[in-house]
Each structure stands twice: as structure tokens, then as C-alpha cells.
Amino acid sequence: MVDAFAAFAGRGALPAAGLGTALGALVARDAVTLNRAARALDGVADTGAYADVLTVITAALPALLPAPGERPRSGCTT
């Protein structure tokens, strides 16, 4: 995944906001674990695609943040 992300990002062809929205939805439905997604995004950031990683995270956050009165999901706490 890291190589594909970096290749698309390097060509300016990565739909980062759409990817982030989809990632947030998948994590919210427990189809993807947050820790695994975070590790992959960390690997992508290591390739230098910081702006795209930030766009993905920004788009994913609304689906990942708890509603008022809810507990944060595992991996969202420090």
C-alpha cells in the first residue's frame, strides 16, 4: 500500500481527501483497524508525501472522533 500511495502522490494523482473519507468510514465500521491504517500512513509519510498524508488524516477525522458522550475508539487516545 505504501508504494502505491507514494507512486500516486508523486504523480499528483492521489485522491487524498476521498481516500481519507473512505478510510474514516472503514475504520468506523471496524473493517480496518486504526493502528494498521496509522502504521501505513506513517510509512507513506516516510516517503515524503506529508501533504497527502495530512489530507487523508484531515478527511478521516470526522468519522473517527467520538460524538459527545461517546468514548474514543481504541487507538485515538494517548
Side-chain angles (χ1 to χ4, degrees), residues 8-35:
F8 280 109
R11 293 181 178 97
L14 182 74
L19 177 61
T21 300
L23 180 62
L26 288 169
V27 172
R29 283 184 253 164
D30 294 323
V32 173
T33 64
L34 184 56
N35 290 336

Side-chain angles (χ1 to χ4, degrees), residues 1-76:
M1 177 191 154
V2 172
D3 292 336
F5 190 119
F8 280 109
R11 293 181 178 97
L14 182 74
L19 177 61
T21 300
L23 180 62
L26 288 169
V27 172
R29 283 184 253 164
D30 294 323
V32 173
T33 64
L34 184 56
N35 290 336
R36 179 174 271 172
R39 280 193 306 269
L41 289 172
D42 184 49
V44 172
D46 287 343
T47 71
Y50 305 109
D52 287 313
V53 169
L54 183 58
T55 300
V56 169
I57 292 169
T58 301
L61 273 176
L64 302 178
L65 295 174
E70 289 183 353
R71 295 184 58 180
R73 71 179 44 261
S74 177
C76 283

